[in-house]
Amino acid sequence: MARGAATEEPVRQRLLTEATRLFAERGFESTSVQEIVAAAGVTKGAMYHYFASKDDLLHEIYGRVLRMQMERLTTFADASGPIAERLHAAARDVVMTTVDNLDDSKVFFRSMHQLSPEVYKIVRADRRRYHERFRDLVIEGQRGGVFRGDVPAEMVVDFFFGAVHHLGTWYHPGGPLTGPEIGRHFADLLLRSLAPVG
Amino acid sequence: MARGAATEEPVRQRLLTEATRLFAERGFESTSVQEIVAAAGVTKGAMYHYFASKDDLLHEIYGRVLRMQMERLTTFADASGPIAERLHAAARDVVMTTVDNLDDSKVFFRSMHQLSPEVYKIVRADRRRYHERFRDLVIEGQRGGVFRGDVPAEMVVDFFFGAVHHLGTWYHPGGPLTGPEIGRHFADLLLRSLAPVG
Amino acid sequence: MARGAATEEPVRQRLLTEATRLFAERGFESTSVQEIVAAAGVTKGAMYHYFASKDDLLHEIYGRVLRMQMERLTTFADASGPIAERLHAAARDVVMTTVDNLDDSKVFFRSMHQLSPEVYKIVRADRRRYHERFRDLVIEGQRGGVFRGDVPAEMVVDFFFGAVHHLGTWYHPGGPLTGPEIGRHFADLLLRSLAPVG
Amino acid sequence: MARGAATEEPVRQRLLTEATRLFAERGFESTSVQEIVAAAGVTKGAMYHYFASKDDLLHEIYGRVLRMQMERLTTFADASGPIAERLHAAARDVVMTTVDNLDDSKVFFRSMHQLSPEVYKIVRADRRRYHERFRDLVIEGQRGGVFRGDVPAEMVVDFFFGAVHHLGTWYHPGGPLTGPEIGRHFADLLLRSLAPVG
DNA sequence: AATGAATGAGGCTTCATTCAT
DNA sequence: AATGAATGAAGCCTCATTCAT
């Protein structure tokens, strides 16, 4: 007997997708387990079969996002070519990826402090490694004299990612700018602000 | 006549202060009314005498922050002097003010979406007016040829305020940089990224 | 200095009137003291100056109604004339009075069981005396052979007053029947059902 | 397999029974959910598993009563036999049923106005249909010349059901009259008051 | 005669989670 | 792999009443 395609999609995946959407829409605390399972078309029992708790669901979402972002950054950072080009490409990519997965991004920055202390620590550590890899690109450029050296690299990264994280607040598909456009602009702004003094 | 200072402070003010601190620390949804009134040393009944609801408390916090920020921005924007200096001063000030009132800032960006739809609309509108005033400074500079014109002013503002809002995530008093230092750096980064070509 | 007429009306009276209206509209338990004082245009302190409690307010309403009904019944019952005429007149009058003071009637039968046990007892006793006076009219007619004797007088009174109390449920001013019309019909129905067997 | 009968009865049914008893005893507003679940021997969570709200509980009680009464009325009204006999039987039956389920009746007329506006409307509509079926019997008799025609049928029904609804106020099992006796008397009173002149 | 801030108890409801099946 | 009844703790809010002024 052939089953419907919708039902075919693994339950676990459906739960993650719907949870992400709902957490992005109304926040972790304001989303009930009941709403999640209803949206995924299963019962609570099913959810607790795949996930240890509501917290665990959030943890899994974080894991997925972190793995993907780190992978992409590594690809761009480890490529060949001038440092300015590599940083530009990496910056542009993280913006486009964020725009393409806006729900993930919203959940990430709105609900991070709802994680349990232990999980929170793990996520922070993963996130720090990501930031450090990005910062190293800035430092590389500063050492090579391609970027100005009178600004703390760490702070520049926080500055830039603040702008990236905030995309979820104002970007809407169908707005005046597309993801790639914003990506190019953001990368331009970053690179220009790092340009050495004339 | 004069009694203990802590007890002297009006109940309403004490409630606002403690609520801000707690919302910043653990989020709006994860803070119970019971915790707020306990921290303020009053009973629930007292809180509901001054505020219509937990939501209303949050709304009042927003009102206070918005009024203060708009006031300061207006002062810097309407001052005399070259546009680049005025924008630099305004940018520097908003960073310093944010750092000095980090709890306000944390609450603002973490809990905004927990407001009721009606109140949310009002706050968004207030916030938009603030952004527009800031954006007008950028446009003024672009028209005058002081800033490069090939980047959307609106987006630049979103870029910059993303960085500002994100301060609550990584800034800690006693860290390597002081508020004024970060303020100068952020303003520098903004101005440089707007510097005209060649 | 001439004060407004509305303000001129005694506070106590205004409180009773508004309380009656609100209790009739939404019931005793669902009406808050705050709503009553707001409707009367005074503050809680004023209410507690005139009445010992919310219960006391209800008690006063009952007292007023009971006194008036007993007075009117006595007038009709003690008049001269044939018993059938006196009962008819009394029955007609209680219907018209009920219709004219529908709020009083609604409060009476909807909120009686919200009185404190002690007050409840007093009201029941008063009410019983009223019923007994009415019942005595029926008995008088039965003894005189004017009314059929094969039906318990007590029950006839309960039967009739059930119909009267229920007026608040269906009667609306401006409906197909006026108060006097309903009064005549109800009295007719009562008298006919008591007519001796042909 | 068979355990204690009390525990055996389904939770949902037990909740309805106890709620009916308590609402009849002290009114809807004065009965707390805590009291209901305690009487039924379950927890609040269990109640909210079966009923959406305290209001919903009341609504279900109304539904049960309305369905039963309509069913019985239809049986008597649609039977064969002279109209006078059918009306007498229906009137007698509603009295006996009311006496047998006095709690239902008390709840019905004391707490109806505590329903939410939407549910209230539904219940009123159901109730109206019941009244109309009863009224049609009166009209049938009037058209056939068996009942006097100079009295509005609608009002007669309101008159009679006022008396029926009021039973909960004065009837007590073990009193001087039994349910069937009151049923016969009430039906007699109704039929006599409708007897044609001469 | 009247105010209004403050109390404290209690009300309805929501929710993550468990467990027998 | 999945159900769904049931739990129990906690959450937000309402309210009659008091009291210093």
Short mmCIF file of all heavy atoms in Angstrom, two decimals, chain E:
data_model
loop_
_atom_site.label_atom_id
_atom_site.label_comp_id
_atom_site.label_asym_id
_atom_site.label_seq_id
_atom_site.Cartn_x
_atom_site.Cartn_y
_atom_site.Cartn_z
P DA E 1 -21.26 61.07 57.28
OP1 DA E 1 -22.62 61.52 56.99
OP2 DA E 1 -21.01 59.69 57.65
"O5'" DA E 1 -20.32 61.44 56.06
"C5'" DA E 1 -20.55 62.65 55.36
"C4'" DA E 1 -19.51 62.73 54.28
"O4'" DA E 1 -18.19 62.77 54.88
"C3'" DA E 1 -19.54 61.52 53.35
"O3'" DA E 1 -19.40 61.99 52.02
"C2'" DA E 1 -18.34 60.69 53.79
"C1'" DA E 1 -17.38 61.77 54.29
N9 DA E 1 -16.46 61.29 55.34
C8 DA E 1 -16.76 60.53 56.43
N7 DA E 1 -15.74 60.27 57.21
C5 DA E 1 -14.69 60.92 56.58
C6 DA E 1 -13.32 61.03 56.88
N6 DA E 1 -12.77 60.49 57.96
N1 DA E 1 -12.54 61.75 56.04
C2 DA E 1 -13.11 62.30 54.97
N3 DA E 1 -14.38 62.27 54.57
C4 DA E 1 -15.12 61.54 55.43
P DA E 2 -19.37 61.04 50.82
OP1 DA E 2 -19.70 61.80 49.60
OP2 DA E 2 -20.13 59.85 51.21
"O5'" DA E 2 -17.83 60.68 50.75
"C5'" DA E 2 -16.92 61.76 50.51
"C4'" DA E 2 -15.53 61.24 50.43
"O4'" DA E 2 -15.06 60.82 51.71
"C3'" DA E 2 -15.33 60.03 49.50
"O3'" DA E 2 -14.62 60.52 48.37
"C2'" DA E 2 -14.51 59.04 50.33
"C1'" DA E 2 -14.02 59.90 51.48
N9 DA E 2 -13.78 59.22 52.76
C8 DA E 2 -14.68 58.53 53.52
N7 DA E 2 -14.17 58.04 54.64
C5 DA E 2 -12.84 58.45 54.60
C6 DA E 2 -11.77 58.26 55.49
N6 DA E 2 -11.86 57.59 56.63
N1 DA E 2 -10.57 58.79 55.15
C2 DA E 2 -10.48 59.47 54.00
N3 DA E 2 -11.42 59.72 53.08
C4 DA E 2 -12.59 59.17 53.45
P DT E 3 -14.23 59.55 47.17
OP1 DT E 3 -14.32 60.33 45.93
OP2 DT E 3 -14.95 58.29 47.31
"O5'" DT E 3 -12.69 59.31 47.46
"C5'" DT E 3 -11.82 60.44 47.57
"C4'" DT E 3 -10.44 59.98 47.95
"O4'" DT E 3 -10.45 59.42 49.27
"C3'" DT E 3 -9.90 58.88 47.02
"O3'" DT E 3 -8.77 59.42 46.37
"C2'" DT E 3 -9.54 57.73 47.96
"C1'" DT E 3 -9.48 58.41 49.32
N1 DT E 3 -9.83 57.57 50.50
C2 DT E 3 -8.88 57.31 51.45
O2 DT E 3 -7.74 57.71 51.36
N3 DT E 3 -9.31 56.56 52.52
C4 DT E 3 -10.59 56.07 52.72
O4 DT E 3 -10.87 55.43 53.71
C5 DT E 3 -11.54 56.36 51.68
C7 DT E 3 -12.95 55.87 51.79
C6 DT E 3 -11.13 57.09 50.63
P DG E 4 -8.44 59.02 44.86
OP1 DG E 4 -7.85 60.20 44.20
OP2 DG E 4 -9.60 58.33 44.25
"O5'" DG E 4 -7.30 57.94 45.11
"C5'" DG E 4 -6.20 58.26 45.97
"C4'" DG E 4 -5.49 56.97 46.35
"O4'" DG E 4 -6.12 56.38 47.49
"C3'" DG E 4 -5.54 55.89 45.25
"O3'" DG E 4 -4.39 55.07 45.38
"C2'" DG E 4 -6.74 55.06 45.68
"C1'" DG E 4 -6.48 55.04 47.17
N9 DG E 4 -7.60 54.62 47.96
C8 DG E 4 -8.91 54.48 47.58
N7 DG E 4 -9.70 54.05 48.54
C5 DG E 4 -8.83 53.89 49.61
C6 DG E 4 -9.08 53.46 50.94
O6 DG E 4 -10.15 53.12 51.44
N1 DG E 4 -7.93 53.44 51.72
C2 DG E 4 -6.68 53.82 51.27
N2 DG E 4 -5.68 53.74 52.13
N3 DG E 4 -6.43 54.24 50.04
C4 DG E 4 -7.55 54.24 49.28
P DA E 5 -3.23 55.08 44.36
OP1 DA E 5 -2.87 56.48 44.05
OP2 DA E 5 -3.62 54.15 43.28
"O5'" DA E 5 -2.05 54.43 45.21
"C5'" DA E 5 -1.53 55.12 46.33
"C4'" DA E 5 -1.22 54.14 47.45
"O4'" DA E 5 -2.45 53.68 48.06
"C3'" DA E 5 -0.48 52.89 46.99
"O3'" DA E 5 0.51 52.60 47.97
"C2'" DA E 5 -1.56 51.81 46.97
"C1'" DA E 5 -2.48 52.26 48.09
N9 DA E 5 -3.89 51.88 47.94
C8 DA E 5 -4.69 52.08 46.84
N7 DA E 5 -5.92 51.67 47.01
C5 DA E 5 -5.94 51.17 48.30
C6 DA E 5 -6.96 50.58 49.08
N6 DA E 5 -8.20 50.40 48.65
N1 DA E 5 -6.64 50.17 50.33
C2 DA E 5 -5.39 50.36 50.76
N3 DA E 5 -4.35 50.90 50.13
C4 DA E 5 -4.70 51.29 48.89
P DA E 6 1.60 51.49 47.63
OP1 DA E 6 2.82 51.87 48.37
OP2 DA E 6 1.65 51.27 46.17
"O5'" DA E 6 1.00 50.20 48.32
"C5'" DA E 6 0.88 50.21 49.75
"C4'" DA E 6 0.15 48.97 50.18
"O4'" DA E 6 -1.23 49.05 49.80
"C3'" DA E 6 0.67 47.66 49.56
"O3'" DA E 6 1.26 46.90 50.61
"C2'" DA E 6 -0.57 46.98 48.99
"C1'" DA E 6 -1.72 47.75 49.62
N9 DA E 6 -2.91 47.84 48.78
C8 DA E 6 -2.99 48.33 47.50
N7 DA E 6 -4.21 48.30 46.99
C5 DA E 6 -4.98 47.75 48.00
C6 DA E 6 -6.35 47.44 48.08
N6 DA E 6 -7.22 47.66 47.09
N1 DA E 6 -6.79 46.88 49.23
C2 DA E 6 -5.91 46.67 50.21
N3 DA E 6 -4.60 46.91 50.26
C4 DA E 6 -4.19 47.46 49.11
P DT E 7 1.80 45.45 50.36
OP1 DT E 7 2.91 45.29 51.30
OP2 DT E 7 1.98 45.23 48.92
"O5'" DT E 7 0.60 44.55 50.87
"C5'" DT E 7 0.01 44.85 52.14
"C4'" DT E 7 -1.14 43.90 52.43
"O4'" DT E 7 -2.27 44.23 51.59
"C3'" DT E 7 -0.81 42.43 52.16
"O3'" DT E 7 -1.11 41.70 53.33
"C2'" DT E 7 -1.73 42.04 51.00
"C1'" DT E 7 -2.87 43.04 51.14
N1 DT E 7 -3.58 43.38 49.88
C2 DT E 7 -4.93 43.17 49.80
O2 DT E 7 -5.58 42.66 50.69
N3 DT E 7 -5.50 43.55 48.62
C4 DT E 7 -4.87 44.14 47.54
O4 DT E 7 -5.49 44.45 46.54
C5 DT E 7 -3.46 44.33 47.68
C7 DT E 7 -2.67 44.96 46.58
C6 DT E 7 -2.88 43.95 48.84
P DG E 8 -0.17 40.53 53.82
OP1 DG E 8 -0.06 40.58 55.28
OP2 DG E 8 1.04 40.49 52.97
"O5'" DG E 8 -1.09 39.30 53.44
"C5'" DG E 8 -2.44 39.28 53.91
"C4'" DG E 8 -3.22 38.25 53.12
"O4'" DG E 8 -3.71 38.85 51.90
"C3'" DG E 8 -2.39 37.04 52.67
"O3'" DG E 8 -3.27 35.93 52.61
"C2'" DG E 8 -2.00 37.41 51.24
"C1'" DG E 8 -3.32 38.05 50.81
N9 DG E 8 -3.21 38.87 49.63
C8 DG E 8 -2.07 39.38 49.04
N7 DG E 8 -2.33 40.08 47.97
C5 DG E 8 -3.70 40.05 47.85
C6 DG E 8 -4.56 40.63 46.89
O6 DG E 8 -4.25 41.31 45.93
N1 DG E 8 -5.89 40.33 47.14
C2 DG E 8 -6.35 39.58 48.20
N2 DG E 8 -7.66 39.39 48.28
N3 DG E 8 -5.57 39.04 49.10
C4 DG E 8 -4.26 39.31 48.86
P DA E 9 -2.90 34.60 53.24
OP1 DA E 9 -2.68 34.82 54.69
OP2 DA E 9 -1.84 33.94 52.44
"O5'" DA E 9 -4.28 33.82 53.06
"C5'" DA E 9 -5.50 34.58 53.14
"C4'" DA E 9 -6.35 34.33 51.92
"O4'" DA E 9 -5.99 35.21 50.83
"C3'" DA E 9 -6.23 32.90 51.37
"O3'" DA E 9 -7.54 32.39 51.24
"C2'" DA E 9 -5.57 33.08 50.00
"C1'" DA E 9 -6.03 34.49 49.62
N9 DA E 9 -5.16 35.15 48.66
C8 DA E 9 -3.79 35.22 48.69
N7 DA E 9 -3.28 35.89 47.69
C5 DA E 9 -4.37 36.28 46.94
C6 DA E 9 -4.50 37.02 45.76
N6 DA E 9 -3.47 37.51 45.09
N1 DA E 9 -5.74 37.23 45.28
C2 DA E 9 -6.78 36.74 45.95
N3 DA E 9 -6.79 36.03 47.08
C4 DA E 9 -5.54 35.83 47.53
P DG E 10 -7.76 30.85 51.09
OP1 DG E 10 -8.72 30.46 52.11
OP2 DG E 10 -6.45 30.16 50.97
"O5'" DG E 10 -8.47 30.76 49.67
"C5'" DG E 10 -9.39 31.77 49.29
"C4'" DG E 10 -9.39 31.89 47.77
"O4'" DG E 10 -8.23 32.63 47.33
"C3'" DG E 10 -9.33 30.53 47.06
"O3'" DG E 10 -10.51 30.40 46.29
"C2'" DG E 10 -8.08 30.61 46.20
"C1'" DG E 10 -7.86 32.12 46.08
N9 DG E 10 -6.49 32.48 45.83
C8 DG E 10 -5.37 32.04 46.52
N7 DG E 10 -4.26 32.51 46.03
C5 DG E 10 -4.66 33.29 44.96
C6 DG E 10 -3.89 34.04 44.04
O6 DG E 10 -2.67 34.17 43.99
N1 DG E 10 -4.70 34.68 43.10
C2 DG E 10 -6.07 34.61 43.06
N2 DG E 10 -6.67 35.28 42.10
N3 DG E 10 -6.79 33.91 43.91
C4 DG E 10 -6.03 33.28 44.82
P DG E 11 -10.89 29.14 45.53
OP1 DG E 11 -12.26 28.86 45.91
OP2 DG E 11 -9.83 28.11 45.65
"O5'" DG E 11 -10.84 29.75 44.07
"C5'" DG E 11 -11.46 31.03 43.82
"C4'" DG E 11 -11.34 31.32 42.35
"O4'" DG E 11 -10.12 32.02 42.12
"C3'" DG E 11 -11.26 30.03 41.54
"O3'" DG E 11 -12.20 29.97 40.48
"C2'" DG E 11 -9.89 30.01 40.94
"C1'" DG E 11 -9.39 31.41 41.09
N9 DG E 11 -8.01 31.31 41.53
C8 DG E 11 -7.55 30.65 42.63
N7 DG E 11 -6.26 30.65 42.73
C5 DG E 11 -5.84 31.35 41.61
C6 DG E 11 -4.55 31.67 41.16
O6 DG E 11 -3.47 31.38 41.68
N1 DG E 11 -4.57 32.39 39.97
C2 DG E 11 -5.71 32.76 39.30
N2 DG E 11 -5.55 33.44 38.17
N3 DG E 11 -6.92 32.47 39.71
C4 DG E 11 -6.91 31.77 40.86
P DC E 12 -12.33 28.54 39.78
OP1 DC E 12 -13.76 28.42 39.47
OP2 DC E 12 -11.61 27.45 40.49
"O5'" DC E 12 -11.54 28.87 38.44
"C5'" DC E 12 -11.99 29.94 37.62
"C4'" DC E 12 -11.03 30.10 36.46
"O4'" DC E 12 -9.70 30.30 36.96
"C3'" DC E 12 -10.97 28.88 35.55
"O3'" DC E 12 -10.97 29.33 34.20
"C2'" DC E 12 -9.66 28.20 35.93
"C1'" DC E 12 -8.80 29.38 36.37
N1 DC E 12 -7.77 29.04 37.41
C2 DC E 12 -6.43 29.38 37.20
O2 DC E 12 -6.11 29.95 36.16
N3 DC E 12 -5.51 29.07 38.15
C4 DC E 12 -5.88 28.46 39.27
N4 DC E 12 -4.94 28.19 40.18
C5 DC E 12 -7.24 28.09 39.50
C6 DC E 12 -8.14 28.40 38.55
P DT E 13 -11.08 28.27 33.02
OP1 DT E 13 -11.66 28.93 31.85
OP2 DT E 13 -11.64 27.01 33.53
"O5'" DT E 13 -9.53 28.04 32.70
"C5'" DT E 13 -8.73 29.19 32.37
"C4'" DT E 13 -7.29 28.79 32.25
"O4'" DT E 13 -6.75 28.42 33.54
"C3'" DT E 13 -7.00 27.60 31.33
"O3'" DT E 13 -6.31 28.12 30.21
"C2'" DT E 13 -6.17 26.65 32.15
"C1'" DT E 13 -5.69 27.52 33.31
N1 DT E 13 -5.44 26.82 34.57
C2 DT E 13 -4.16 26.76 35.06
O2 DT E 13 -3.21 27.24 34.47
N3 DT E 13 -4.02 26.11 36.26
C4 DT E 13 -5.03 25.53 37.01
O4 DT E 13 -4.77 24.98 38.08
C5 DT E 13 -6.35 25.62 36.45
C7 DT E 13 -7.51 25.01 37.17
C6 DT E 13 -6.49 26.25 35.28
P DT E 14 -5.87 27.17 29.03
OP1 DT E 14 -5.95 27.98 27.81
OP2 DT E 14 -6.53 25.86 29.14
"O5'" DT E 14 -4.33 26.96 29.35
"C5'" DT E 14 -3.54 28.09 29.64
"C4'" DT E 14 -2.12 27.62 29.87
"O4'" DT E 14 -2.02 26.97 31.16
"C3'" DT E 14 -1.65 26.61 28.83
"O3'" DT E 14 -0.36 27.04 28.45
"C2'" DT E 14 -1.64 25.28 29.59
"C1'" DT E 14 -1.36 25.73 31.02
N1 DT E 14 -1.88 24.89 32.12
C2 DT E 14 -1.07 24.63 33.19
O2 DT E 14 0.06 25.06 33.28
N3 DT E 14 -1.65 23.87 34.18
C4 DT E 14 -2.92 23.35 34.20
O4 DT E 14 -3.31 22.69 35.14
C5 DT E 14 -3.72 23.64 33.03
C7 DT E 14 -5.11 23.11 32.94
C6 DT E 14 -3.17 24.38 32.07
P DC E 15 0.32 26.46 27.14
OP1 DC E 15 1.08 27.57 26.55
OP2 DC E 15 -0.67 25.72 26.33
"O5'" DC E 15 1.34 25.43 27.76
"C5'" DC E 15 2.07 25.85 28.90
"C4'" DC E 15 2.78 24.67 29.51
"O4'" DC E 15 1.95 24.07 30.53
"C3'" DC E 15 3.08 23.56 28.51
"O3'" DC E 15 4.47 23.36 28.48
"C2'" DC E 15 2.36 22.35 29.04
"C1'" DC E 15 2.15 22.68 30.51
N1 DC E 15 0.93 22.05 31.07
C2 DC E 15 0.96 21.51 32.35
O2 DC E 15 1.99 21.57 33.01
N3 DC E 15 -0.16 20.91 32.83
C4 DC E 15 -1.27 20.86 32.08
N4 DC E 15 -2.34 20.28 32.59
C5 DC E 15 -1.30 21.43 30.77
C6 DC E 15 -0.20 22.01 30.30
P DA E 16 5.14 22.77 27.18
OP1 DA E 16 5.90 23.85 26.53
OP2 DA E 16 4.19 21.97 26.40
"O5'" DA E 16 6.19 21.80 27.89
"C5'" DA E 16 7.04 22.35 28.88
"C4'" DA E 16 7.47 21.26 29.85
"O4'" DA E 16 6.31 20.76 30.55
"C3'" DA E 16 8.12 20.06 29.19
"O3'" DA E 16 9.16 19.61 30.03
"C2'" DA E 16 6.98 19.04 29.08
"C1'" DA E 16 6.16 19.37 30.31
N9 DA E 16 4.72 19.13 30.14
C8 DA E 16 3.95 19.46 29.06
N7 DA E 16 2.69 19.15 29.19
C5 DA E 16 2.62 18.57 30.44
C6 DA E 16 1.54 18.03 31.16
N6 DA E 16 0.28 17.97 30.71
N1 DA E 16 1.80 17.53 32.40
C2 DA E 16 3.06 17.60 32.86
N3 DA E 16 4.16 18.09 32.27
C4 DA E 16 3.86 18.57 31.05
P DT E 17 10.10 18.46 29.50
OP1 DT E 17 11.40 18.67 30.16
OP2 DT E 17 10.03 18.35 28.05
"O5'" DT E 17 9.42 17.18 30.16
"C5'" DT E 17 9.23 17.17 31.58
"C4'" DT E 17 8.33 16.03 31.99
"O4'" DT E 17 6.98 16.24 31.53
"C3'" DT E 17 8.72 14.65 31.43
"O3'" DT E 17 9.11 13.87 32.55
"C2'" DT E 17 7.46 14.11 30.79
"C1'" DT E 17 6.37 14.98 31.43
N1 DT E 17 5.13 15.11 30.66
C2 DT E 17 3.96 14.65 31.20
O2 DT E 17 3.91 14.12 32.29
N3 DT E 17 2.86 14.82 30.41
C4 DT E 17 2.80 15.40 29.15
O4 DT E 17 1.73 15.50 28.54
C5 DT E 17 4.06 15.86 28.63
C7 DT E 17 4.12 16.51 27.28
C6 DT E 17 5.15 15.70 29.39
P DT E 18 9.76 12.42 32.31
OP1 DT E 18 10.86 12.36 33.28
OP2 DT E 18 9.99 12.17 30.88
"O5'" DT E 18 8.61 11.44 32.81
"C5'" DT E 18 7.99 11.70 34.06
"C4'" DT E 18 6.80 10.78 34.24
"O4'" DT E 18 5.73 11.17 33.35
"C3'" DT E 18 7.09 9.31 33.93
"O3'" DT E 18 6.55 8.54 34.99
"C2'" DT E 18 6.36 9.05 32.61
"C1'" DT E 18 5.20 10.02 32.72
N1 DT E 18 4.62 10.49 31.43
C2 DT E 18 3.27 10.43 31.28
O2 DT E 18 2.52 9.99 32.13
N3 DT E 18 2.80 10.92 30.07
C4 DT E 18 3.55 11.45 29.04
O4 DT E 18 3.01 11.85 28.02
C5 DT E 18 4.97 11.48 29.27
C7 DT E 18 5.87 12.03 28.21
C6 DT E 18 5.43 11.00 30.44
P DC E 19 7.11 7.08 35.24
OP1 DC E 19 7.37 6.99 36.69
OP2 DC E 19 8.17 6.74 34.26
"O5'" DC E 19 5.84 6.18 34.91
"C5'" DC E 19 4.51 6.66 35.19
"C4'" DC E 19 3.51 5.79 34.46
"O4'" DC E 19 3.14 6.42 33.22
"C3'" DC E 19 4.02 4.39 34.10
"O3'" DC E 19 2.98 3.47 34.31
"C2'" DC E 19 4.35 4.50 32.62
"C1'" DC E 19 3.27 5.48 32.17
N1 DC E 19 3.60 6.24 30.94
C2 DC E 19 2.57 6.68 30.10
O2 DC E 19 1.40 6.44 30.40
N3 DC E 19 2.89 7.37 28.99
C4 DC E 19 4.18 7.62 28.70
N4 DC E 19 4.45 8.30 27.60
C5 DC E 19 5.24 7.17 29.55
C6 DC E 19 4.91 6.49 30.65
P DA E 20 3.34 1.96 34.73
OP1 DA E 20 3.50 1.93 36.20
OP2 DA E 20 4.43 1.44 33.86
"O5'" DA E 20 1.99 1.22 34.36
"C5'" DA E 20 0.74 1.92 34.53
"C4'" DA E 20 -0.18 1.61 33.36
"O4'" DA E 20 0.22 2.40 32.21
"C3'" DA E 20 -0.16 0.15 32.89
"O3'" DA E 20 -1.49 -0.22 32.54
"C2'" DA E 20 0.75 0.17 31.67
"C1'" DA E 20 0.44 1.55 31.10
N9 DA E 20 1.53 2.13 30.32
C8 DA E 20 2.87 2.05 30.58
N7 DA E 20 3.62 2.69 29.71
C5 DA E 20 2.70 3.21 28.81
C6 DA E 20 2.84 3.98 27.64
N6 DA E 20 4.01 4.38 27.17
N1 DA E 20 1.72 4.32 26.97
C2 DA E 20 0.53 3.93 27.45
N3 DA E 20 0.27 3.19 28.54
C4 DA E 20 1.41 2.86 29.17
P DT E 21 -1.81 -1.69 32.06
OP1 DT E 21 -3.18 -2.00 32.51
OP2 DT E 21 -0.67 -2.57 32.42
"O5'" DT E 21 -1.85 -1.52 30.48
"C5'" DT E 21 -2.72 -0.53 29.92
"C4'" DT E 21 -2.49 -0.45 28.44
"O4'" DT E 21 -1.22 0.20 28.16
"C3'" DT E 21 -2.42 -1.80 27.72
"O3'" DT E 21 -3.51 -1.90 26.81
"C2'" DT E 21 -1.09 -1.79 26.98
"C1'" DT E 21 -0.75 -0.31 26.94
N1 DT E 21 0.69 0.02 26.83
C2 DT E 21 1.11 0.84 25.79
O2 DT E 21 0.35 1.29 24.98
N3 DT E 21 2.46 1.09 25.77
C4 DT E 21 3.41 0.62 26.66
O4 DT E 21 4.58 0.91 26.53
C5 DT E 21 2.91 -0.22 27.72
C7 DT E 21 3.86 -0.79 28.72
C6 DT E 21 1.58 -0.49 27.76
#
